[in-house]
Every structure is written in structure tokens, then in C-alpha cells.
């Protein structure tokens, strides 16, 4: 009687859902005037005009040839998993499916994720007929099978990378599936030991990176203070060129340490620098010794830029000094004026600040005053940028530990550029699609970066490979003052 009442309820209150037998993992064939459905360890027989063959209840909802009734299979207890209602929508780049569960899972499974080029197959541990009604992205092929052990979902999209993330939520109980249809990854040889790649990193949202990976080569900082050019024009014969460090937009004065073949081109500003000899790379806030030499040859050690001392040399344009100090403005190696602080010095000049009336040695306008500096320990090449992103395989993004007074540019979603390398010593020059430096740091960790440093970002972020711009940009590429050029070994 219970079965009969259930069947009457199904036939009266539900519109019968007929789906191909293959949707349920069953095959269909006609034999001696009967319709036979079998698979998944069961066999059903229906005789048109008569009904279901014993031992099935004849009043079960009838099939229609190759198409079977979902309600009939549910009533027969064909499915061994509970039924879940399905909702769908978008979440960022993802098509999100939410399975509203009938109750708490006895043993909730941990989140899982994965990807495959072109085709992806998943088994969701619930009966979820609503998935058959999901509007899949244009161009995607989707096959849904409602099986005794769950709902099998097979997606295909040639030329795309399919990515999924499956995770539970509570209060109420839900199972969430995020599906991403992503542009295919790219890998191209550039030279022996050097290749160009476009890859996805997940944090968990997908982030596309455009990078050159080099097992060997020669890396050189290129550019000229006071002049701007596209990175490709700063190194026309390079295999790859990545934009370099920061600069003053008004004067094209580089901001931060720049050492070119052992010669200091620009002085430190208290941020992390890339330091290297040959193909061995290091990251750190430079230990830099600076001194000034007066008209009679006397020398005194000074602080430099953000590293203030009793006597401080300033090489970055902008206001320098504070109340109670004086400023010697120097052009080349000649003192132009000695003025009360604060003062702003013009492009091409530098300044020495000192306590009022306490010059380190006799000095007046017209006298010579020279600035010298050296790295300790010395490196042949150095280029300062920052902040630090990854250090020895650990997340290290913390602008407050470096000289970044205004954090807003580092919070904006914009293209990011970085230099990184693996524990095995493979060098990466890379640009990301718009994101934040913190997200980029996590993305690089998922790809196996051992150390990573952010270079100038936003409109300056650009990667050129054999004179071709490979990273994404909007509008015209921005000329920069410095860049990192990779040459064949």
C-alpha cells in the first residue's frame, strides 16, 4: 500500500521526468516486443501495453522507448545517495553550482581541486537531477549521468583549461562546485635553457602569469637615469626584458639602488634589492656605505636617503631635511647653496642635510662636494624595487618592513611584475594579469618559487620576449627608466 500511495502521489503531483536510459548508466534494447534496460547491476523489463514485468509494480511510471522515468527509478530505490537540490550562478570567473544537502554529511569530505586540458570528469556524491538544467557556457559540451552512487558530470571544451574546486559549507549544509573555463596554457622555447610560458596559478582564484624561465643566461640591468624608453628599446638584442625598479615620474630619476658592472648608478632608498653576480641571485635590503668628500679631501660617513644619520645624503627628488637642519644643494660636485631645511632640490642635483650650524667640515657655495658609496659585500649588479614577496619558500609580503610610506599603490588591483627563482636556481622574469602583490606572492608559492621580489607594477609592468610584448596591457606600453635584460649565456 505504501508503494501504491507513493506511486499515486508521483503520478498526480509530479510531472514525470523522462531522460535517456544512458543518463542513469543503463543500456536500452528491444527484444521480443519488450523494452529492456540494464546496467549498474540491475535489469528492468517493460512491455508496451502491459506494463513492467515482475517483480516490478506494474503501476510504476512507464518509460517511452529509450527514455526512462527518473521518478520510477527513485521509487524503486535505484539511487543509493540522498537527493540534493541544485542552484547555479556565477562567482567571479567561476560557474558556481550549489548542492543544498538534505542533512549533515556523516563524514564531510575535505575540499578538493583539480584541472585538465579539454575534458574534465567529476562524481558528486549525491543525486542531483537539477544539474541537467544548468546552462553551460557557450561552446562547452556537458554530459550528466545520474548513477546509483552519485551524479557524474563530464565537461569538454577543446582548447580550454578546465579547473574545478569542490568544498563543503555549513549552516545550512551545502556542497559547492566552482568550475572555471580558462584560456589554455602556453609553452614556447626561446633559446637553449630558456622558455616562455603562460600559466595559471590558483589562490584559490585563478591568476594568469606570463613568464620567462631560464636555467642559464646573463642578466643585466639596462637603462639610463633621466631617460625613459620601452624595455625592448633598452636592450634590443636581449632574449627577454622585464621592466625594472621605481623612478620619479617627473624627472625619470631612478629610486633605489642600481649597480651596473660594479658602478653605483643610483643610491638605496631602504627597500629590498635584487643582488647578483653571474647567475647567482640574492635578495635583501642593501648594506651600503656612503660618504661625502669635502673641498680639502676630508671625508665623513653619511646616511643615504631613507637611512638617515647626523649627516644624510639625498638623491631622490622631493623635499628633504626637517626643522633644525640645513641643506647643502649640490649639482654634480659643486655646492650651489646652503639653505634652511626643508628644501626641494632640482632634477640632476643631490643634497646633504646636517644639523643647523654643524657642517662636517668648512663648506660654502662653489666648493666641491662629492658623494661616494659601495655595497657591503660588493656585488657586480644590483637593482632595488620591492616589496619582498617570497623568501626561502615562505610568504614574505610585508611593505611595513620596507620604505613604503603610502601603502595604497600596493593595495590596488593592477598588473604586477616580479623576479623570482626556484630552489634549484631556475630564474623567472614574470608579469601577472591585474591583482595585488600579496595575491601574487601566494600564487608564486603555489608554483614553487623559492624567492621573489616585486618590481615596478601597474602601467610599467611589461615583459618583452625577442622584441614582442607578451604580457597583457591596456593602451600603449609605458616607457621606463630601468629594466632587466636576459641574454644567452
Amino acid at each position: 500500500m505504501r508503494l501504491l500511495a507513493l506511486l499515486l502521489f508521483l503520478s498526480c503531483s509530479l510531472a514525470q521526468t523522462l531522460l535517456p536510459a544512458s543518463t542513469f548508466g543503463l543500456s536500452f534494447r528491444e527484444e521480443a516486443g519488450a523494452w529492456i534496460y540494464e546496467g549498474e547491476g540491475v535489469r528492468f523489463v517493460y512491455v508496451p501495453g502491459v506494463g513492467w514485468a515482475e517483480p516490478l509494480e506494474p503501476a510504476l511510471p512507464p518509460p517511452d522507448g529509450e527514455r526512462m522515468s527518473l521518478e520510477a527509478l527513485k521509487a524503486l530505490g535505484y539511487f543509493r545517495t540522498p537527493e540534493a537540490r541544485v542552484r547555479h550562478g556565477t562567482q567571479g570567473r567561476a560557474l558556481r553550482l550549489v548542492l543544498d544537502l538534505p542533512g549533515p554529511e556523516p563524514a564531510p569530505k575535505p575540499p578538493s581541486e583539480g584541472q585538465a586540458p579539454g575534458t574534465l570528469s567529476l562524481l558528486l556524491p549525491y543525486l542531483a537531477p537539477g544539474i541537467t538544467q544548468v546552462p553551460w557556457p557557450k561552446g562547452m559540451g556537458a554530459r550528466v549521468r545520474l548513477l546509483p552512487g552519485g551524479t557524474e558530470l563530464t565537461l569538454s571544451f577543446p582548447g580550454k583549461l578546465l579547473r574545478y574546486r569542490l568544498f563543503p559549507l555549513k549552516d545550512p549544509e551545502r556542497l559547492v562546485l566552482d568550475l572555471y573555463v580558462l584560456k589554455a596554457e602556453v609553452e614556447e622555447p626561446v633559446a637553449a635553457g630558456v622558455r616562455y610560458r603562460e600559466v595559471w596559478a590558483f589562490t584559490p582564484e585563478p591568476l594568469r602569469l606570463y613568464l620567462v624561465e631560464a636555467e642559464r643566461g646573463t642578466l643585466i640591468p639596462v637603462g639610463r637615469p633621466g631617460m625613459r624608453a620601452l624595455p625592448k628599446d633598452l636592450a634590443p638584442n636581449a632574449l627577454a626584458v622585464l621592466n625594472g625598479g621605481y623612478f620619479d615620474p617627473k624627472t625619470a630619476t631612478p629610486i633605489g639602488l642600481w649597480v651596473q658592472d660594479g658602478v653605483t648608478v643610483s643610491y638605496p632608498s631602504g627597500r629590498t634589492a635584487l643582488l647578483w653576480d653571474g647567475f647567482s641571485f640574492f635578495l635583501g635590503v642593501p648594506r651600503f656605505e656612503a660618504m661625502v668628500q669635502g673641498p680639502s679631501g676630508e671625508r665623513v660617513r653619511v646616511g643615504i636617503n631613507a637611512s638617515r644619520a647626523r649627516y644624510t645624503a639625498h638623491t631622490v627628488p622631493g623635499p628633504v631635511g626637517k626643522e633644525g637642519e640645513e641643506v647643502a644643494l649640490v649639482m654634480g660636485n659643486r655646492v650651489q647653496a646652503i639653505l634652511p631645511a626643508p628644501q626641494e632640490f632640482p632634477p640632476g642635483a643631490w643634497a646633504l642635510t646636517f644639523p643647523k650650524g654643524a657642517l662636517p667640515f668648512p663648506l660654502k657655495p662653489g666648493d666641491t662636494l662629492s658623494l661616494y658609496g659601495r655595497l657591503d659585500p660588493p656585488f657586480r649588479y644590483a637593482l632595488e624595487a620591492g616589496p619582498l614577496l617570497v623568501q626561502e619558500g615562505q610568504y614574505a609580503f610585508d611593505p611595513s618592513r620596507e620604505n613604503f610610506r603610502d601603502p595604497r599603490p600596493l593595495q590596488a588591483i593592477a598588473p604586477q611584475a616580479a623576479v623570482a627563482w626556484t630552489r634549484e636556481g631556475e630564474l623567472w622574469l614574470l608579469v601577472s594579469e591585474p591583482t595585488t602583490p600579496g595575491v601574487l606572492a601566494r600564487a608564486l608559492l603555489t608554483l614553487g618559487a623559492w624567492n621573489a621580489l616585486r618590481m615596478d607594477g601597474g602601467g610599467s609592468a611589461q615583459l618583452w620576449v625577442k622584441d614582442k610584448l607578451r604580457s597583457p596591457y591596456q593602451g600603449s606600453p609605458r616607457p621606463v627608466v630601468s629594466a632587466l635584460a636576459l641574454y644567452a649565456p
Side-chain angles (χ1 to χ4, degrees):
M1 292 298 293
R2 288 183 179 177
L3 178 59
L4 180 58
L6 174 61
L7 294 176
L8 288 172
F9 172 78
L10 288 171
S11 62
C12 295
S13 62
L14 290 176
Q16 187 178 181
T17 304
L18 293 173
L19 296 170
S22 58
T23 301
F24 306 112
L26 302 173
S27 64
F28 167 75
R29 72 177 189 275
E30 292 188 55
E31 185 176 298
W35 296 342
I36 300 174
Y37 310 86
E38 57 187 342
E40 298 294 327
V42 298
R43 184 174 186 270
F44 303 129
V45 177
Y46 181 83
V47 180
V50 177
W52 293 97
E54 292 184 2
L56 300 184
E57 172 63 47
L60 280 171
D64 182 10
E66 187 269 342
R67 300 172 68 82
M68 290 191 71
S69 167
L70 170 63
E71 286 74 22
L73 291 175
K74 286 161 59 175
L76 289 167
Y78 177 69
F79 302 103
R80 301 190 300 268
T81 57
E83 184 172 357
R85 186 170 68 93
V86 177
R87 294 178 288 131
H88 59 82
T90 57
Q91 181 70 25
R93 278 182 165 147
L95 169 63
R96 171 164 287 185
L97 306 184
V98 179
L99 276 62
D100 294 314
L101 307 185
E105 290 189 274
K109 295 182 179 179
S112 64
E113 57 186 348
Q115 65 188 48
T119 302
L120 182 67
S121 186
L122 298 169
L123 180 64
L124 306 176
Y126 294 93
L127 172 62
I131 291 183
T132 62
Q133 305 302 314
V134 171
W136 303 104
K138 185 178 180 181
M140 174 182 282
R143 186 184 70 172
V144 179
R145 294 208 302 165
L146 306 175
L147 303 176
T151 300
E152 182 187 77
L153 176 61
T154 302
L155 304 173
S156 63
F157 205 137
K160 298 288 186 179
L161 179 69
L162 303 181
R163 172 83 179 187
Y164 79 90
R165 181 169 180 258
L166 186 65
F167 55 97
L169 291 176
K170 291 187 174 294
D171 301 325
E173 300 285 334
R174 289 154 290 164
L175 186 64
V176 180
L177 174 64
D178 282 344
L179 291 167
Y180 300 91
V181 180
L182 303 171
K183 185 179 177 183
E185 296 187 327
V186 172
E187 182 173 327
E188 301 171 2
V190 176
V194 181
R195 60 179 178 170
Y196 169 74
R197 297 182 66 202
E198 295 177 16
V199 299
W200 292 100
F202 300 90
T203 60
E205 289 299 305
L207 179 69
R208 194 168 181 87
L209 302 180
Y210 305 76
L211 70 157
V212 167
E213 299 176 341
E215 299 172 4
R216 54 188 178 271
T218 300
L219 188 70
I220 297 177
V222 293
R224 190 171 173 184
M227 296 183 64
R228 278 174 278 208
L230 294 178
K232 72 178 182 70
D233 296 328
L234 296 175
N237 298 317
L239 296 176
V241 192
L242 179 74
N243 67 283
Y246 302 101
F247 57 91
D248 178 61
K250 294 182 180 178
T251 64
T253 301
I255 299 174
L257 182 66
W258 180 352
V259 176
Q260 184 81 34
D261 204 11
V263 178
T264 301
V265 177
S266 177
Y267 291 86
S269 64
R271 299 168 179 171
T272 302
L274 176 68
L275 311 155
W276 73 100
D277 287 303
F279 211 65
S280 297
F281 302 95
F282 306 89
L283 293 177
V285 176
R287 293 177 57 188
F288 195 85
E289 182 181 277
M291 61 186 65
V292 293
Q293 178 175 302
S296 300
E298 55 271 71
R299 291 190 173 191
V300 62
R301 291 187 63 175
V302 298
I304 188 78
N305 293 321
S307 301
R308 288 184 56 84
R310 178 177 175 83
Y311 308 113
T312 306
H314 303 266
T315 62
V316 180
V320 297
K322 56 186 179 180
E323 294 292 337
E325 289 186 325
E326 290 184 287
V327 181
L329 299 180
V330 186
M331 185 71 72
N333 62 353
R334 292 284 178 182
V335 177
Q336 303 298 304
I338 299 177
L339 303 168
Q343 288 290 329
E344 186 162 341
F345 57 90
W350 62 278
L352 177 69
T353 59
F354 51 90
K356 187 175 182 180
L359 277 163
F361 34 68
L363 196 66
K364 64 182 185 300
D367 285 347
T368 60
L369 186 65
S370 302
L371 175 63
Y372 299 92
R374 66 181 181 88
L375 270 174
D376 181 24
F379 283 89
R380 185 176 180 183
Y381 299 108
L383 194 63
E384 182 177 330
L388 185 65
L389 299 176
V390 176
Q391 187 171 36
E392 295 184 349
Q394 300 294 319
Y395 180 85
F397 178 66
D398 186 359
S400 66
R401 299 178 61 182
E402 304 181 46
N403 182 31
F404 287 94
R405 296 188 179 92
D406 185 358
R408 290 173 297 180
L410 300 176
Q411 296 167 352
I413 296 176
Q416 306 292 329
V419 176
W421 59 91
T422 65
R423 195 168 190 172
E424 295 73 26
E426 183 180 66
L427 177 69
W428 298 351
L429 304 178
L430 65 100
V431 170
S432 75
E433 64 182 2
T435 188
T436 62
V439 171
L440 175 61
R442 292 187 174 89
L444 291 174
L445 282 170
T446 67
L447 295 178
W450 183 244
N451 288 290
L453 178 68
R454 180 186 189 263
M455 308 308 288
D456 195 4
S460 295
Q462 50 196 293
L463 176 65
W464 297 79
V465 181
K466 290 187 173 180
D467 292 336
K468 181 180 179 181
L469 183 61
R470 301 305 299 260
S471 54
Y473 67 98
Q474 294 181 350
S476 300
R478 177 186 294 174
V480 297
V481 174
S482 65
L484 290 166
L486 177 69
Y487 294 91

